[in-house]
Amino acid sequence: RDCRTSASITKMATLYEMEPDDRHRFPKVTDDDKADHLQKLLRNRFEVLTGYADMKKQTAEIEKRFKYYDINNSGTLDFAEFDAALTEMNLGDAPKSEIRALFDRYDANGDEAVSYTELINGVFEVQPHPLAQKESRRMLENIRAQIAKRGGLNGIRSLGRSFRIMDDSGNGKIEPEELLYGLRDQGVEVERNEVEQIMLHFDKDGDGNVVFDEFLRALRGKMNQRRKNLVKLAFGQLDKTGDGVVTMEDLMGIYDVSENPDVINGILTPDQAFQEFAKVWDRDRSGSVHLDEFIEYYQDVSASIDNDDYFELMIRNAWHISGGEGQFENTANLRVLVIHDDGSQEVVEIQDDLGLDVNDFPAIRKKLFMQGVKNIKKVEVASAM
């Protein structure tokens, strides 16, 4: 498959260099930073609407608006309903990315919906989300950057495995010393004030232990909709029956390890990357992978990739999804030279080449025919051109 990957290796390496090593020297202003201002405006709006009344009356005002915009009476607000509520309060002019950042901040359990309790806690900062404080955001960014540098794309996934091994009681908690050990095992060094930030947000019961799943959820953050759509598109390439399940055998048989960014950048050998990829799947040993497991895996990967275009190229090349534009266009799919009956020639991309043997010319011809390429006299693969 070397003939498919040389161009993509060059392209992805170039994209990887788009993230300068000193990007943390001058922290960029993020949507979360801007959401701090939106949070203050929202809090101030409820104060104004209630004539600067006490928290009880402000809470009643929030409950009234919550029920009004909970159109389907689900007991929660999805993003569209949340956005509509802010628009009605004259806060909808903020960029959608900032509104989304505030929504994610309020969505404490990460279920893509904000409950009444989450909204109250968020507006009044009763139980501040880690993203609600700049110091906590910087702490998470620092840890995330160190994990990505040392552990590659599977660093957060590996950290989670370490925590679960340490959790002898199975209650989802670990002691601060175990947390530090797990982080250091991934090459992460944290300052004392960062440990204090972790305990502040993730010692939910005040018993001196860290709820590590919540820590990992905050560390990985959420994939934006563009990335999530790409992940779903990739799974659709694999799920030929449309039942939301792919067998491990099929998954491992078609994964193109040569397109793994850690392989391209020399962090892992192809064999190491393949073994790492195999270890993160099939936690319940069922021999199959479901869509939610697939999305969860790429949430961990996404946390280590700043650039949306780079993420798109990685997904397209790893799962041979045709498309993309310019330097982000898929380069992994097989290209063949088609010689027609009239002597004319054209280079054609095989749009669905997952699992395709480059030496199986009858299968290649069939793929070309399905794509509408006709009057084929001869086909040559790239390496033969």
Side-chain angles (χ1 to χ4, degrees):
R1 294 162 82 84
D2 290 346
C3 59
R4 311 186 198 194
T5 59
S6 58
S8 61
I9 288 175
T10 302
K11 180 181 292 187
M12 292 187 75
T14 301
L15 281 174
Y16 199 83
E17 292 170 1
M18 290 171 63
E19 312 296 334
D21 290 338
D22 63 350
R23 62 187 179 277
H24 298 292
R25 189 175 301 166
F26 303 101
K28 63 181 180 181
V29 178
T30 66
D31 287 327
D32 278 309
D33 293 331
K34 296 174 183 176
D36 291 342
H37 180 62
L38 190 58
Q39 157 75 13
K40 291 177 182 177
L41 290 176
L42 183 60
R43 176 67 186 273
N44 178 257
R45 196 58 48 91
F46 281 116
E47 290 176 341
V48 171
L49 287 170
T50 59
Y52 295 91
D54 57 23
M55 187 178 292
K56 183 177 180 180
K57 289 185 178 179
Q58 289 186 46
T59 300
E61 179 67 25
I62 291 177
E63 181 177 14
K64 180 178 73 174
R65 291 177 181 272
F66 179 92
K67 290 180 177 178
Y68 179 79
Y69 284 99
D70 178 18
I71 298 172
N72 57 3
N73 295 315
S74 64
T76 61
L77 298 181
D78 61 22
F79 179 70
E81 293 168 334
F82 181 79
D83 184 31
L86 262 61
T87 298
E88 190 270 339
M89 298 176 70
N90 295 320
L91 297 176
D93 289 339
K96 287 291 183 283
S97 59
E98 294 175 27
I99 296 175
R100 181 76 207 197
L102 188 64
F103 177 85
D104 288 345
R105 181 182 299 185
Y106 290 169
D107 177 20
N109 64 0
D111 65 353
E112 292 294 326
V114 174
S115 69
Y116 172 67
T117 301
E118 287 175 330
L119 186 62
I120 293 296
N121 287 342
V123 172
F124 294 112
E125 298 183 286
V126 178
Q127 295 178 341
H129 191 281
L131 296 177
Q133 297 181 345
K134 185 170 292 187
E135 296 81 4
S136 299
R137 292 198 295 271
R138 297 292 181 255
M139 174 267 294
L140 291 170
E141 289 168 7
N142 176 43
I143 293 175
R144 192 181 300 125
Q146 290 188 64
I147 289 176
K149 186 174 182 179
R150 167 72 182 276
L153 297 183
N154 289 320
I156 293 178
R157 201 81 167 177
S158 299
L159 181 63
R161 284 202 304 270
S162 297
F163 288 162
R164 275 181 276 277
I165 291 171
M166 295 176 193
D167 180 21
D168 295 328
S169 63
N171 65 357
K173 298 180 180 180
I174 54 176
E175 297 177 357
E177 293 79 10
E178 294 173 318
L179 175 80
L180 290 175
Y181 178 83
L183 287 171
R184 285 170 180 161
D185 191 48
Q186 294 296 317
V188 177
E189 294 294 332
V190 292
E191 303 292 337
R192 178 178 295 275
N193 67 312
E194 292 177 319
V195 175
E196 292 172 355
Q197 286 290 330
I198 293 172
M199 297 305 297
L200 173 66
H201 292 291
F202 303 107
D203 176 13
K204 296 296 184 181
D205 301 326
D207 60 359
N209 294 316
V210 175
V211 181
F212 62 79
D213 270 344
E214 294 194 16
F215 173 67
L216 291 170
R217 184 186 304 126
L219 189 60
R220 72 170 63 97
K222 287 186 176 181
M223 282 194 296
N224 60 37
Q225 199 59 48
R226 175 183 172 185
R227 296 189 183 198
K228 191 174 292 185
N229 289 341
L230 283 163
V231 172
K232 290 179 178 179
L233 182 62
F235 191 83
Q237 291 277 99
L238 311 173
D239 182 17
K240 300 300 184 183
T241 61
D243 62 356
V245 181
V246 176
T247 67
M248 276 295 297
E249 184 179 359
D250 287 342
L251 188 70
M252 302 312 297
I254 58 181
Y255 177 60
D256 189 353
V257 72
S258 67
E259 298 299 335
N260 185 306
D262 287 343
V263 173
I264 290 172
N265 290 285
I267 298 173
L268 297 175
T269 66
D271 284 343
Q272 289 171 333
F274 192 85
Q275 292 303 318
E276 280 291 313
F277 184 78
K279 280 195 296 187
V280 299
W281 300 105
D282 197 24
R283 289 184 182 176
D284 59 2
R285 301 184 182 277
S286 64
S288 60
V289 177
H290 293 73
L291 174 60
D292 58 347
E293 293 176 291
F294 197 75
I295 291 175
E296 183 184 342
Y297 169 76
Y298 275 108
Q299 281 180 323
D300 288 345
V301 171
S302 177
S304 299
I305 299 177
D306 293 337
N307 187 286
D308 283 346
D309 293 321
Y310 177 66
F311 184 87
E312 176 174 353
L313 184 60
M314 179 199 68
I315 290 287
R316 288 190 179 280
N317 282 347
W319 299 109
H320 290 222
I321 303 171
S322 184
E325 297 181 1
Q327 62 178 325
F328 313 118
E329 181 183 3
N330 163 289
T331 53
N333 282 39
L334 178 66
R335 267 79 171 173
V336 296
L337 176 65
V338 177
I339 302 173
H340 294 282
D341 292 336
D342 61 3
S344 61
Q345 301 179 4
E346 63 174 328
V347 176
V348 181
E349 174 191 314
I350 306 297
Q351 295 174 358
D352 179 14
D353 72 340
L354 274 176
L356 181 64
D357 184 346
V358 296
N359 296 312
D360 188 348
F361 286 96
I364 292 174
R365 281 176 172 268
K366 183 178 180 180
K367 293 281 187 183
L368 290 168
F369 181 79
M370 296 294 290
Q371 290 178 209
V373 181
K374 300 178 181 179
N375 302 318
I376 301 172
K377 180 179 180 180
K378 185 180 179 182
V379 176
E380 296 179 0
V381 297
S383 59
M385 286 190 249

